[in-house]
């Protein structure tokens, strides 16, 4: 708690420009650090034109799905989900935007630019962004985790077959 009050005192002693610059640097460092850890970040907001418009996308998020930021920004996030996932994710999004408590940590599948599925683990929350409610998604590629789980299941099944043969 003492660290928080020192930060608050330091920020309150800054003028508006210094505070904004510090805030921008802090956010950039956060996005870059999460990217190095393999997490993509997307911020969504409803606009007059469409629901769940991508208003911010990190470089790591773009790298994972194979799009450039210009190809993602301004599009509805629904364009990037596997069709079997869209209704479920939309329902959670709409409930969250209306203030309901909904599951915020789950696995789902998005589509890469080349059309291949990308299994992800995501953590989702609402926040204020440019004065309006927004949804922020932090997500990580779990392709390797899924492959290891599949291999473990196959290995377990093989061992069970060997035990069954020996005890028969």
């Amino acid at each position: 708690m003492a660290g928080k009050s020192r930060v608050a005192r330091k920020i309150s002693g800054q003028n508006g420009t210094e505070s904004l610059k510090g805030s921008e640097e802090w956010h950039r460092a956060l996005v870059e650090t999460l990217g190095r850890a393999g997490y993509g970040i997307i911020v969504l907001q409803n606009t007059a034109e469409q629901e769940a418009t991508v208003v911010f996308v990190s470089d790591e998020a773009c790298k994972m799905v194979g799009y450039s930021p210009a190809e993602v920004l301004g599009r509805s996030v629904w364009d990037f989900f596997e069709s079997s996932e869209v209704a479920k994710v939309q329902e959670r999004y709409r409930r969250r935007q209306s203030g309901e408590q909904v599951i915020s940590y789950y696995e789902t599948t998005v589509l890469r630019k080349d059309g291949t599925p990308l299994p992800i683990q995501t953590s989702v929350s609402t926040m204020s962004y440019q004065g309006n409610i927004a949804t922020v998604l932090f997500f990580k590629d779990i392709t390797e985790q899924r492959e290891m789980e599949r291999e473990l299941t196959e290995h377990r099944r093989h061992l069970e077959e060997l035990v069954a043969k020996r005890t028969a």
Side-chain angles (χ1 to χ4, degrees):
M1 199 65 156
K4 287 183 180 180
S5 54
R6 277 190 298 241
V7 171
R9 279 194 299 268
K10 183 175 180 181
I11 290 173
S12 66
Q14 298 174 341
N15 67 35
T17 304
E18 290 171 336
S19 180
L20 180 59
K21 183 179 177 189
S23 176
E24 289 171 353
E25 289 172 3
W26 186 86
H27 286 99
R28 184 174 28 260
L30 182 63
V31 169
E32 289 173 2
T33 301
L34 285 166
R36 284 191 300 274
Y39 284 90
I41 305 169
I42 294 178
V43 178
L44 315 170
Q45 281 185 317
N46 292 339
T47 64
E49 296 80 32
Q50 68 187 355
E51 180 181 62
T53 302
V54 179
V55 295
F56 172 85
V57 61
S58 69
D59 290 340
E60 183 64 21
C62 289
K63 181 178 154 188
M64 279 191 253
V65 294
Y67 288 95
S68 70
E71 293 173 303
V72 176
L73 291 168
R75 288 180 61 182
S76 174
V77 77
W78 312 139
D79 296 344
F80 303 100
F81 279 92
E82 195 169 63
S83 60
S84 63
E85 296 288 306
V86 173
K88 179 174 42 177
V89 177
Q90 280 178 331
E91 189 252 340
R92 289 177 184 153
Y93 173 83
R94 291 170 182 156
R95 289 177 54 206
R96 187 176 294 105
Q97 289 292 102
S98 71
E100 286 184 51
Q101 293 292 331
V102 294
I103 187 170
S104 61
Y105 188 74
Y106 55 90
E107 293 179 5
T108 188
T109 304
V110 295
L111 295 174
R112 293 182 180 102
K113 186 176 181 177
D114 67 7
T116 59
L118 174 67
I120 61 170
Q121 193 171 56
T122 187
S123 180
V124 185
S125 184
T126 55
M127 65 178 208
S128 177
Y129 183 74
Q130 297 180 344
N132 295 304
I133 190 167
T135 295
V136 61
L137 293 87
F138 294 89
F139 64 97
K140 186 171 186 92
D141 178 351
I142 58 169
T143 303
E144 288 182 20
Q145 177 183 331
R146 290 259 176 100
E147 180 60 26
M148 286 189 289
E149 289 170 356
R150 186 190 64 73
E151 288 176 10
L152 183 60
T153 299
E154 285 180 20
H155 185 64
R156 184 179 300 124
R157 184 174 46 244
H158 177 69
L159 290 175
E160 288 171 355
E161 289 172 3
L162 291 174
V163 169
K165 285 180 185 177
R166 285 196 137 191
T167 57

